[in-house]
Amino acid sequence: MTRPPLPPFTEADARTKVQAAEDAWNTRDAHTVSLAYTPDSVWRNRDRFLTGRDQIQAFLTDKWRRELDYALRKELWAFGEDRIAVRFQYEWHDDQGRWWRSYGNELWEFDAQGLMRRREASINDVSITAQERRIHGPRPQEEHGVPFPLA
C-alpha cells in the first residue's frame, strides 16, 4: 500500500501531506485516519506512547469521544527528505460544554511508501469561550495553504 506523495519530499509534496492529514483528521474517522500510518507506527502524543494501527485507532476513537465538535488546522513548519514538521491548532468542547483550543507541534517520519512510521506530538490546551472560537469545521477549499494565526 502506498500513500502519495512519496519521499523524498518537495515543498509542494510536504504541503500536500499536511493538508491531507488535516482533511483526514477532520473526518474524525479513526479507522480511515489509522490507515495513513505503518502497521507498526510509533507515536508519542502528549504523555501517551502508542505502537501500531490498532492502538492508534483505539486512541483516536477515545479522543473524538471526549473532544466533541473537534475541528483542526495544520500548517507546514519544515520538511526534509522523509520528514515533515507541522504546527497545528484545534478546537473542541468537553461533555460539560467548555471550549478549548489545543496548540501543538508534530514531527513526522515516513517510510518509502509514504506511510507515517513515527509521529511525535507536543500539545497544550487553552480554555476559550464559545465566542473566542475561530475554527468552525473543516477548512474550506479556498483557505487551503493559507497560514493560520498563532493567537
Side-chain angles (χ1 to χ4, degrees), residues 37-57:
Y37 303 93
T38 62
D40 61 349
S41 186
V42 176
W43 276 29
R44 180 186 59 78
N45 194 91
R46 299 177 192 247
D47 61 349
R48 301 268 314 266
F49 295 84
L50 311 169
T51 302
R53 283 186 185 149
D54 290 343
Q55 287 185 11
I56 291 167
Q57 186 173 339

Side-chain angles (χ1 to χ4, degrees), residues 108-128:
W108 300 343
E109 182 179 83
F110 294 87
D111 70 6
Q113 289 73 43
L115 297 172
M116 195 181 303
R117 65 178 160 218
R118 184 172 177 172
R119 174 184 175 266
E120 296 187 27
S122 297
I123 307 167
N124 299 301
D125 302 314
V126 176
S127 179
I128 61 172

Side-chain angles (χ1 to χ4, degrees), residues 7-121:
F9 298 124
T10 64
E11 182 176 347
D13 292 338
R15 290 188 187 287
T16 297
K17 278 287 199 201
V18 171
Q19 189 60 57
E22 177 185 305
D23 293 344
W25 280 61
N26 276 325
T27 70
R28 295 176 285 201
D29 180 335
H31 173 72
T32 299
V33 171
S34 73
L35 296 177
Y37 303 93
T38 62
D40 61 349
S41 186
V42 176
W43 276 29
R44 180 186 59 78
N45 194 91
R46 299 177 192 247
D47 61 349
R48 301 268 314 266
F49 295 84
L50 311 169
T51 302
R53 283 186 185 149
D54 290 343
Q55 287 185 11
I56 291 167
Q57 186 173 339
F59 171 84
L60 292 173
T61 298
D62 182 57
K63 170 186 180 64
W64 291 321
R65 278 191 191 125
R66 288 179 293 103
E67 295 179 357
L68 305 172
D69 292 322
Y70 172 100
L72 167 72
R73 297 293 183 272
K74 290 186 182 279
E75 186 175 335
L76 177 66
W77 187 263
F79 70 96
E81 184 172 319
D82 64 350
R83 295 179 179 172
I84 296 174
V86 300
R87 72 187 255 298
F88 64 87
Q89 297 176 40
Y90 63 89
E91 293 177 351
W92 56 283
H93 67 85
D94 60 26
D95 60 1
Q96 296 178 15
R98 292 177 297 205
W99 280 95
W100 302 89
R101 183 175 302 125
S102 300
Y103 294 91
N105 300 296
E106 292 176 314
L107 304 174
W108 300 343
E109 182 179 83
F110 294 87
D111 70 6
Q113 289 73 43
L115 297 172
M116 195 181 303
R117 65 178 160 218
R118 184 172 177 172
R119 174 184 175 266
E120 296 187 27

